[in-house]
Amino acid sequence: EADRLLDMGPGPGERGGEVVFFGAPQAMREAKTLTAQYLAGDKRADAGLAPRPPEPNGPRLEILGAAEHNLKHIDVALPLNRLVCVTGVSGSGKSTLVQDVLYAALRKHKGRPTEAPGKHRALRGVEHIAEVAMVDQTPIGKTTRSNPASYVGAFDPIRNLFAKDEVAKERGYTPGTFSFNSGNGRCPTCGGNGFEHVEMQFLSDVYLRCPDCDGKRFRAEVLEITLRGKSIAEVLELTVSEALTFFAGHAEVLARLAPLADVGLDYLRLGQPVPTLSGGEAQRLKLAGHLADSDTAGRPTLFLFDEPTTGLHFDDIAKLLKSFRRLVAAGHSLVVIEHNL
């Protein structure tokens, strides 16, 4: 429907930043950009993913008599161990059904803290699932100490590697020394934040790079410990794809970082503060956290996603769908609220 298309790229993050196409939509089909390949139909987001129809007598979750907000006393049976899409126009009751009724009722049934579930008569089939997780685009947190590496649990094995260095052992450094959250390895001036927070009375607060550690978060002597020529601060500056190459021989680190690449976040820096992520990035980081979390293995979980394709490119959606299929293959169930069929 557009008169002109402006395509940024050629990739995400640092691989982007260029105008790769600008012109009429018809001319775009001849362009060889990633977006053009999807628009022309040469590539598809669901390529290689065959749908698996639910078994007639397979396990299912039944919501009976849902009557919250616009819902007209409806009965819904959701097949488990599948990817189920809930769609409809705005205001038709998708979020009410999935979030207010289903999610709240399941959390209450599992004894988790929750608001009162939306009106419904009964919920059946709860015994088939061990946990329920809501994965939406709300910000993960406001603390700048949280980053992709710590969120998926990769920071711990990385710090363990630094603590095993011969010089680190001589100095009595532990994995805690390489943390900027606590311990005596962090910069005492900024407390490991990398910047100082200056409160302004009438203007927005100002963040100034710490003059002592120059934003590196650690004491100078801690940065003298290196892993193949890189200090802990330099490792946190690596992108996920660079880190996957750098830690190629360390299976524990790779296992934690791989899900970030699987959901299309390979361009993020390991130490990027989580509050700087967009809604779509935050949602995919939550998904990567679940993929990296081996605790859910053997515990069938129902994952609820709220419009996960919002703001995503076709290629990001392709990676997202592959991650969804991995969750289903691992024995989990997915319910997705989505307009983009």
Side-chain angles (χ1 to χ4, degrees):
E1 294 296 324
D3 299 318
R4 310 280 286 177
L5 283 176
L6 174 63
D7 191 10
M8 302 289 289
E14 288 187 344
R15 298 200 296 278
E18 298 172 35
V19 174
V20 290
F21 175 83
F22 183 55
Q26 296 75 21
M28 176 120 188
R29 298 189 180 281
E30 275 71 66
K32 289 297 170 216
T33 69
L34 194 56
T35 312
Q37 289 177 308
Y38 278 98
L39 288 178
D42 298 334
K43 284 192 167 195
R44 285 178 59 95
D46 60 353
L49 297 172
R52 295 170 55 210
E55 298 155 16
N57 300 316
R60 54 192 61 227
L61 202 56
E62 292 183 75
I63 309 158
L64 304 176
E68 187 73 8
H69 298 316
N70 296 334
L71 300 175
K72 308 283 194 288
H73 296 276
I74 58 169
D75 299 342
V76 181
L78 301 169
L80 295 174
N81 309 125
R82 292 291 184 274
L83 167 56
V84 177
C85 178
V86 179
T87 191
V89 295
S90 298
S92 57
K94 305 182 299 298
S95 298
T96 303
L97 179 70
V98 175
Q99 295 180 0
D100 300 353
V101 180
L102 178 61
Y103 180 57
L106 280 170
R107 280 189 67 88
K108 185 180 178 185
H109 195 278
K110 299 289 179 192
R112 304 274 190 278
T114 182
E115 293 178 6
K119 282 184 223 150
H120 66 289
R121 195 173 71 251
L123 185 65
R124 291 185 193 151
V126 184
E127 67 279 2
H128 297 303
I129 56 171
E131 289 292 337
V132 58
M134 172 64 74
V135 189
D136 56 17
Q137 295 204 358
T138 53
I140 289 170
K142 294 193 169 97
T143 173
T144 53
R145 295 177 186 280
S146 182
N147 55 48
S150 61
Y151 193 84
V152 296
F155 199 30
D156 290 342
I158 288 172
R159 288 186 295 139
N160 291 341
L161 290 173
F162 274 95
K164 286 175 185 168
D165 179 82
E166 290 305 317
V167 182
K169 285 180 185 172
E170 284 172 20
R171 296 183 182 180
Y173 289 172
T174 65
T177 310
F178 297 95
S179 167
F180 49 74
N181 286 325
S182 58
N184 54 9
R186 61 182 178 172
C187 167
T189 308
C190 63
N193 272 318
F195 53 81
E196 291 181 294
H197 177 200
V198 183
E199 289 189 19
M200 307 291 277
Q201 277 189 305
F202 303 110
L203 301 170
S204 297
D205 292 357
V206 174
Y207 295 92
L208 301 173
R209 187 181 286 250
C210 174
D212 284 5
C213 68
D214 192 31
K216 292 189 169 69
R217 301 179 169 211
F218 295 93
R219 291 177 183 268
E221 57 268 28
V222 173
L223 298 177
E224 290 168 6
I225 309 298
T226 59
L227 194 64
R228 295 206 305 287
K230 288 195 186 295
S231 69
I232 184 77
E234 288 169 326
V235 164
L236 287 171
E237 279 296 304
L238 294 174
T239 63
V240 172
S241 54
E242 289 168 346
L244 286 169
T245 307
F246 185 78
F247 291 106
H250 304 285
E252 197 179 350
V253 180
L254 290 183
R256 291 284 173 180
L257 289 179
L260 287 169
D262 292 342
V263 297
L265 295 178
D266 50 345
Y267 58 90
L268 290 184
R269 296 196 177 280
L270 296 189
Q272 181 171 339
V274 158
T276 63
L277 303 181
S278 70
E281 286 170 337
Q283 188 174 33
R284 284 184 289 161
L285 180 56
K286 291 176 193 176
L287 173 59
H290 286 297
L291 288 170
D293 192 3
S294 53
D295 294 347
T296 56
R299 287 176 61 77
T301 302
L302 175 67
F303 290 98
L304 307 174
F305 286 86
D306 189 9
E307 300 198 32
T309 65
T310 303
L312 298 194
H313 186 275
F314 302 106
D315 206 51
D316 293 323
I317 296 173
K319 289 172 181 165
L320 188 71
L321 283 174
K322 285 192 176 75
S323 300
F324 282 179
R325 292 295 181 197
R326 271 185 57 199
L327 284 173
V328 173
H332 304 303
S333 306
L334 278 74
V335 174
V336 181
I337 300 170
E338 188 56 80
H339 288 280
N340 180 0
L341 296 181

